[in-house]
Amino acid sequence: MSTPRYPLVLVPGLLGFVRVLGYPYWYGIVTALRNHGARVFPVLVSAVHSTEVRGEQLLQRIAELREQTGAAKVHLLGHSQGALTARYAAAKKPEWVASVTSVAGPNHGSEMADYLDRRFAAGSWQERCVSALMGVVARGLGWFESGYQGPRLPIDVAAAHRSLTSEGVAAFNAQYPQGLPDTWGGQGAAEVDGVRYYSWAGVITPGVTDRGIRRFEAMSLMCRICARYGFQRETGQCDGLVGRNSSHLGTVFGDSFTFDHLSIVNQPLGLVGKGDDPVRLFVEHAQRLHDAGL
């Protein structure tokens, strides 16, 4: 494989991390890309916070990496909320960013976040319990993070939730529309302000996504339950947290790969069933960036 001109920066989603007790968020992906010669840097932003706060943190990481590597630009690959975070950074500093790639990004909002809005009213005891649990998990991730040496990052559960609802993402998109399609389910501009935009996403595929051990694995089961109860507009056309059309950004290389929201980044432990190979998609995309002169 020919390697991209610029470093690849991997941006995690909600409750994201670099490594927790040595266990990586981007399971097998960083190793595969580095084995093919790419410069790869998984970065940490707040596990639970607004897209804008996470985006400002990402800009700091990019500035540090530009100084560290001497690269004028970087490629941003964001999973889930990490895609919105990457979009924010590219909109603010397009001269620092060669491309943004959205991997299962809720670029038009998450119907699951909307469902939680309806199910747990703001200020209710249910909402307070869910928020408290999210806060505990986020703080735990921070305590056991082993891939980041900087200061403790802030947490704001309410701000994170607002950033992922359809209403919250619509407000975000009004300010940062780069790469968004003009029509629902369409493709967006391939390049804006010198930044290339790409995306891919998955759809839970019965008999494939849940095949073998995935049928009983907790993360896969959670995604299947969310897909069944949390979606109205894209029922049967989602990965459990994000709908296929909601994921579209820039050039769409596929929106129905056989992944749930976590197996698209090879989680957990590479147990992704017998469908598409998430690691291969990242390696192929690195080749694609090289072929584009990036």
Side-chain angles (χ1 to χ4, degrees):
M1 185 190 87
S2 300
T3 58
R5 176 182 177 188
Y6 300 112
L8 308 178
V9 177
L10 306 184
V11 188
L14 184 73
L15 294 177
F17 51 91
V18 177
R19 292 189 303 275
V20 170
L21 296 177
Y23 180 81
Y25 183 94
W26 306 90
Y27 189 85
I29 294 169
V30 173
T31 299
L33 289 169
R34 287 176 176 168
N35 285 345
H36 283 87
R39 291 178 291 172
V40 187
F41 300 91
V43 297
L44 187 69
V45 293
S46 285
V48 179
H49 218 304
S50 71
T51 295
E52 291 82 358
V53 167
R54 287 163 51 95
E56 287 296 325
Q57 294 167 355
L58 178 58
L59 285 170
Q60 294 177 26
R61 306 289 177 270
I62 296 171
E64 294 163 1
L65 285 171
R66 292 177 71 239
E67 182 175 356
Q68 175 184 336
T69 64
K73 299 183 178 184
V74 297
H75 295 292
L76 300 177
L77 290 79
H79 172 235
S80 194
Q81 192 184 7
L84 303 179
T85 308
R87 287 175 50 198
Y88 176 92
K92 289 292 188 179
K93 285 285 189 179
E95 66 273 20
W96 288 4
V97 180
S99 73
V100 168
T101 301
S102 167
V103 180
N107 293 304
H108 297 273
S110 167
E111 284 196 63
M112 191 60 209
D114 297 341
Y115 171 81
L116 292 175
D117 253 359
R118 297 190 303 270
R119 182 68 177 79
F120 305 123
S124 68
W125 68 267
Q126 297 99 326
E127 186 268 341
R128 291 195 298 271
C129 286
V130 172
S131 295
L133 178 60
M134 288 282 288
V136 168
V137 173
R139 289 179 177 84
L141 291 171
W143 294 333
F144 295 108
E145 173 65 58
S146 59
Y148 168 75
Q149 303 300 320
R152 187 67 56 84
L153 297 174
I155 292 170
D156 189 327
V157 176
H161 180 71
R162 286 194 301 271
S163 284
L164 294 170
T165 63
S166 297
E167 182 180 359
V169 176
F172 176 84
N173 288 346
Q175 296 187 71
Y176 311 109
Q178 294 87 340
L180 291 172
D182 292 328
T183 59
W184 178 251
Q187 301 210 24
E191 183 174 337
V192 182
D193 297 331
V195 181
R196 303 286 183 93
Y197 287 87
Y198 306 97
S199 63
W200 71 79
V203 168
I204 291 175
T205 308
V208 180
T209 311
D210 57 355
R211 188 175 175 183
I213 195 170
R214 292 290 290 176
R215 178 178 294 275
F216 308 102
E217 191 275 316
M219 292 183 182
S220 178
L221 181 60
M222 178 198 73
C223 287
R224 297 199 304 274
I225 291 172
C226 290
R228 181 174 181 179
Y229 295 105
F231 283 74
Q232 296 178 346
R233 187 176 191 182
E234 296 200 75
T235 302
Q237 298 295 317
C238 68
D239 64 9
L241 295 181
V242 175
R244 64 187 297 184
N245 291 310
S246 182
S247 73
H248 286 199
L249 184 76
T251 302
V252 181
F253 290 110
D255 60 5
S256 56
F257 292 109
T258 55
F259 302 124
D260 60 41
H261 194 69
L262 297 168
S263 61
I264 202 166
V265 288
N266 210 33
Q267 291 290 353
L269 294 166
L271 302 173
V272 298
K274 302 298 182 181
D276 294 305
D277 179 357
V279 177
R280 176 182 58 80
L281 291 180
F282 280 86
V283 172
E284 289 178 350
H285 190 54
Q287 180 68 53
R288 184 180 294 120
L289 295 173
H290 168 270
D291 293 346
L294 303 173

